[in-house]
């Protein structure tokens, strides 16, 4: 995290941190200029709505749909999870362009012709972002810890 908006000494500290990060190889993947708030809010949103919320829910619901259609639970779960990993690996290696270059024409057509599950119902994730930005999530998390993590 590098924030050019810092005054004087804080900017010097940020430059030192960037130099140290570069020295230990931490900048090989790239460096993004950001603020603490932006990094924190986007990270929390991504974890809650995409990674631990969205991806896991997608695997569970898709495999459940296959089981309800008569497929073996083990096959349904493995297929959904395995396919997700393959796609995520491609996305990580080269973004959307690489993914579309390496998937079958059938998959590519499907992703363009029928984009999938992102619809108005899934747009409620905007509420997750609002809760993160307003501090509501932090207050809920603190209260949850004080209560012994009952949820």
């Amino acid at each position: 995290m590098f924030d050019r908006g810092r005054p004087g000494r804080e900017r010097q500290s940020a430059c030192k941190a960037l130099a140290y990060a570069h020295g230990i190889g931490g900048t090989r993947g790239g460096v993004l200029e950001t603020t603490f708030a932006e990094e924190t809010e986007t990270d929390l949103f991504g974890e809650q709505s995409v990674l631990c919320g969205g991806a896991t829910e997608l695997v569970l619901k898709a495999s459940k749909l296959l089981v309800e259609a008569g497929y073996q639970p083990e096959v349904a779960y493995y297929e959904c999870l395995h396919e997700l990993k393959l796609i995520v690996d491609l996305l990580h290696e080269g973004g959307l362009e690489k993914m579309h270059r390496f998937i079958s024409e059938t998959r590519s057509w499907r992703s363009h012709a029928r984009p999938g599950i992102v619809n108005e119902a899934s747009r409620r994730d905007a509420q997750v972002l609002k809760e993160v930005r307003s501090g509501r999530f932090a207050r809920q998390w603190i209260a949850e810890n004080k209560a012994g993590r009952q949820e």
Side-chain angles (χ1 to χ4, degrees), residues 28-146:
R28 280 187 226 134
V31 176
L32 298 173
E33 183 177 329
T34 187
T35 64
F36 182 81
E38 182 178 52
E39 163 58 20
T40 303
E41 292 166 5
T42 58
D43 184 64
L44 287 170
F45 173 79
E47 287 173 355
Q48 294 173 30
S49 292
V50 179
L51 303 175
C52 299
T56 55
E57 193 69 10
L58 178 62
V59 170
L60 292 173
K61 286 193 175 172
S63 58
K64 181 181 177 185
L65 187 139
L66 289 171
V67 170
E68 289 171 354
Y71 297 97
Q72 296 178 63
E74 299 82 4
V75 172
Y77 178 77
Y78 176 79
E79 185 63 25
C80 292
L81 187 62
H82 180 72
E83 292 294 327
L84 178 62
K85 185 197 180 311
L86 293 175
I87 295 301
V88 168
D89 286 348
L90 289 171
L91 288 169
H92 184 262
E93 291 170 14
L96 293 171
E97 183 181 333
K98 182 170 184 174
M99 181 200 75
H100 282 288
R101 210 172 46 237
F102 282 85
I103 62 176
S104 70
E105 288 184 20
T106 307
R107 284 185 185 177
S108 185
W109 175 79
R110 175 67 185 193
S111 72
H112 291 294
R114 296 182 182 95
I117 65 161
V118 176
N119 55 35
E120 289 307 312
S122 62
R123 298 204 192 282
R124 67 177 158 248
D125 283 335
Q127 184 62 34
V128 171
L129 181 57
K130 287 177 185 174
E131 289 176 2
V132 167
R133 294 183 84 184
S134 71
R136 183 169 184 225
F137 167 74
R139 290 187 297 278
Q140 290 172 330
W141 179 236
I142 290 167
E144 177 67 18
N145 279 282
K146 284 181 179 177

